[in-house]
Structure formats: C-alpha cells, structure tokens
Amino acid sequence: LMVLFFFVIGLEIKRELVRGDLRDPRTAALPVLAAIGGVVAPAAVYLAFNAGGPGGHGWAVPVATDIAFSVGLLSLLGRRVPLGARLFLLTLAVADDIIGIVVIAIFYSKGIDFVWLGGAVAGLVVMGTANRVGIRALPFYGLLAFATWLSLHESGVHAALAGVAIAALTPAFSYYSDAEYRRRAGLILDGYEREARAPHGEERLDESALTLAAVARESVPPLDRMERALHPWSSFVGAPIFALANSGVRFAGLDL
C-alpha cells in the first residue's frame, strides 16, 4: 500500500515537473533544499543532546516528515491551500522520505542483498527502455512493476522507493496529440453511417467503436490515466491505514 501511495504522489509531482509549476529548476530545488534542511537540523539537535549516550544511535528518528499526515492536512483544508503551497509540501515530503529511506538503507539495514537490488535496477532499466521504444501495454508494465517492487523488497531496501522510481519513468505525454486525436476520431465517426448501412454493419461498428476507444485512451498521457485510476485507492485505503498504523491505533479486541 505504501508503494501505491508513493507511486500516486510521485505521479503528481512528475506531472508538475514536466508540465506544471515545478518546471522551473529553481522552483523545484526549493522544496528539495528544505527537505535536506529538515533532515540535517533535527538530526543535529538530537545528536547535540544524545551523542555518545545510549540513545545516540536513534538520531534518524526525528528526521522524517510523515507524508500521509501532510496529505491528510491538505485534504482537510481543501481549496483554501494555494496550489503552490500544496506542491511545495508534497515535494518536500517526498524528498524527505526518499532521504529517510536512503538513511535507513545505509545506516540501519541488517544487510543489503545486491543480487535482488540488481534485479530491481534491471526492472527499472527494462521499463525505461520499453517506454522509449513505444511499448504501450499496461499489463506488461504492471508485471514489470510488481517484479521491481518484489526485488527491491527482498533486497532489504525500503520497497516504497520503487513507487517513486516507477512514477518517474511513467510517460507524461500522450501517444496522439490533440490534433491527431481529432483527425483520427473524425475519420472513424465519418465512416459510421456507411458501416451502418453495409452488410454485417453491426460488426464493423463494434470494431470502429473499439478503435475509437483505443485512440481516445492513447490520447491521454499514461501518467494522467494511472493517477486518476489509483488516486481513490491511495487516498481512501492506503493513506488511512498508513496513518492509523503510524499513530499506534490498535483495533485488537474492538467490537465494531
């Protein structure tokens, strides 16, 4: 569920990096620098009080920004939060969590299996190559994404990082431009009357409808399609479970 959550947030941030307000490198760099400061400063304060003591090894505990609660707060405030502030907080939180994952992998993991890690990297390379050569089949990418997540999970690195990496590789532009979509759709619709009057016209109409549906689907960027399809699951399933688990809420023995 956390991989799904990070994947959806990663899609939103990539969309803004490619087509939105974060296209300016200086604008995108600000929340990343803020995230770095949000990691270094709490760790320094912690170590100032605990360095050399029995709790010194826990310096990474205060560095994390809880992205689920950040998103929940934004949802509660709704449109009262300016778009720029929302993007700033989301980018900061994701960057902070990525740094946190790297910290865990380097300083707190019990050992990284580099064979599994190599498998995860290979999965991302294949995914990026498939995007470049124009493979569009979503089941292919779904299986590849699952294999990449499983490999990263087995490697000992926090598997949520797979969601961010896969989101970064998701195409943000459509296969057909707006003009090409209108042209192709117009040709298909113009032939409807002729096909309806022809023998076995119903079968041809079905084929034309399927062709029109495929053209319409490929005229929307995969990033936007995936974000729209997965956003409810991320918001109403993944985020609440994550928030309750991190809060320490227990349902054991509860009679609903």
Side-chain angles (χ1 to χ4, degrees):
L1 288 176
M2 280 310 302
V3 176
L4 177 66
F5 182 75
F6 272 88
F7 177 63
V8 174
I9 296 298
L11 290 176
E12 184 172 354
I13 291 175
K14 179 175 180 178
R15 173 166 44 80
E16 295 300 327
L17 283 169
V18 175
R19 309 196 307 259
D21 294 343
L22 296 179
R23 284 179 296 176
D24 183 356
R26 291 175 297 179
T27 303
L30 180 60
V32 174
L33 291 174
I36 294 173
V39 168
V40 173
V45 171
Y46 184 96
L47 288 173
F49 287 93
N50 295 282
H57 67 284
W59 59 269
V61 174
V63 305
T65 299
D66 202 321
I67 187 172
F69 288 102
S70 303
V71 175
L73 181 61
L74 291 176
S75 300
L76 286 176
L77 295 176
R79 295 182 179 179
R80 286 170 287 184
V81 179
L83 178 61
R86 172 183 172 80
L87 291 175
F88 178 87
L89 180 58
L90 286 178
T91 308
L92 184 151
V94 170
D96 181 279
D97 277 2
I98 292 174
I99 296 172
I101 291 169
V102 173
V103 167
I104 292 172
I106 295 175
F107 296 100
Y108 292 90
S109 66
K110 296 179 181 179
I112 297 177
D113 189 321
F114 288 96
V115 174
W116 281 106
L117 184 61
V121 173
L124 294 173
V125 171
V126 173
M127 192 176 298
T129 304
N131 284 335
R132 289 184 175 273
V133 300
I135 296 176
R136 310 292 291 181
L138 284 180
F140 168 78
Y141 290 105
L143 290 174
L144 201 55
F146 176 79
T148 301
W149 164 79
L150 181 63
S151 298
L152 197 63
H153 181 274
E154 293 297 323
S155 73
V157 178
H158 200 303
L161 193 58
V164 179
I166 295 170
L169 293 174
T170 303
F173 296 99
S174 59
Y175 190 72
Y176 297 126
S177 65
D178 291 343
E180 183 67 9
Y181 167 65
R182 288 195 297 269
R183 187 185 72 80
R184 288 175 175 268
L187 290 174
I188 295 171
L189 293 173
D190 288 343
Y192 258 56
E193 291 296 330
R194 296 191 304 272
E195 292 171 351
R197 292 192 298 267
H200 307 291
E202 292 183 357
E203 295 179 4
R204 295 180 180 177
L205 285 175
D206 290 343
E207 292 177 4
S208 297
L210 290 172
T211 303
L212 181 61
V215 171
R217 182 179 64 253
E218 294 298 343
S219 299
V220 179
L223 185 150
D224 294 344
R225 299 205 309 267
M226 296 299 296
E227 184 181 359
R228 177 168 293 188
L230 295 176
H231 193 275
W233 294 97
S234 172
S235 297
F236 300 117
V237 179
I241 291 176
F242 179 51
L244 291 171
N246 275 14
S247 303
V249 177
R250 295 179 57 84
F251 293 96
L254 178 64
D255 187 348
L256 294 176

